Amino acid sequence: MANPLQELSLKPLGFQFIQELPINATPEKVWASVLNVGGWFGTDADRSKWAKSTLEATPGGRWIVEGKDGATWLQATVMLVEPNKLLRVAGSMGMTHLPLNNVVIFELQPKDGGKTTLLRLGHRGFGYMDAEVEGKYRGGWAKLLPNIKQMAEKR
């Protein structure tokens, strides 16, 4: 992470994207997996290196990440919960020293009479950032969503 106490040449930028992933599990199983952020929020092949993540799944609840180095941060605040359908969170999403905000929406669409689920993730960000931030988020979600799929399909 860049030094938070240095001047940066940043401009206000915004982005939005949607990623979709079909999952061979019911919306209830996918929902339980989405809420278990500690089971999917990490990209290292060695899960012991993952930071501890917890989610309080109620409006105003916190998504907290506790790093291995002892740092702890608020990833996002829960804005909306519609069980088995929709979770909306808003916050810095890892960009802790920049004035910006992200809104991430997890939407579950039942398919095949509720036997499978289409997981749709929408991410919108706005604030002072460099042009690479959107690509980093896109790439990050492309790695994280399969973790949710794997969890849900094993339930």
Side-chain angles (χ1 to χ4, degrees), residues 42-96:
T43 57
D44 196 295
D46 181 356
R47 286 182 175 247
S48 70
K49 294 181 181 177
W50 288 13
K52 178 183 175 188
S53 295
T54 56
L55 178 73
E56 302 163 350
T58 185
R62 301 168 301 162
W63 179 349
I64 300 288
V65 178
E66 299 173 49
K68 296 291 184 182
D69 61 358
T72 301
W73 62 94
L74 176 65
Q75 184 81 335
T77 301
V78 175
M79 305 305 288
L80 176 70
V81 177
E82 291 184 40
N84 303 317
K85 295 179 184 177
L86 192 80
L87 174 68
R88 183 181 309 142
V89 299
S92 64
M93 297 298 294
M95 305 294 287
T96 57

Side-chain angles (χ1 to χ4, degrees), residues 15-26:
F15 64 85
Q16 62 180 331
F17 60 84
I18 296 173
Q19 294 182 356
E20 298 182 339
L21 186 64
I23 300 177
N24 190 22
T26 65

Side-chain angles (χ1 to χ4, degrees), residues 93-105:
M93 297 298 294
M95 305 294 287
T96 57
H97 67 280
L98 295 175
L100 62 84
N101 194 37
N102 293 282
V103 174
V104 176
I105 302 167

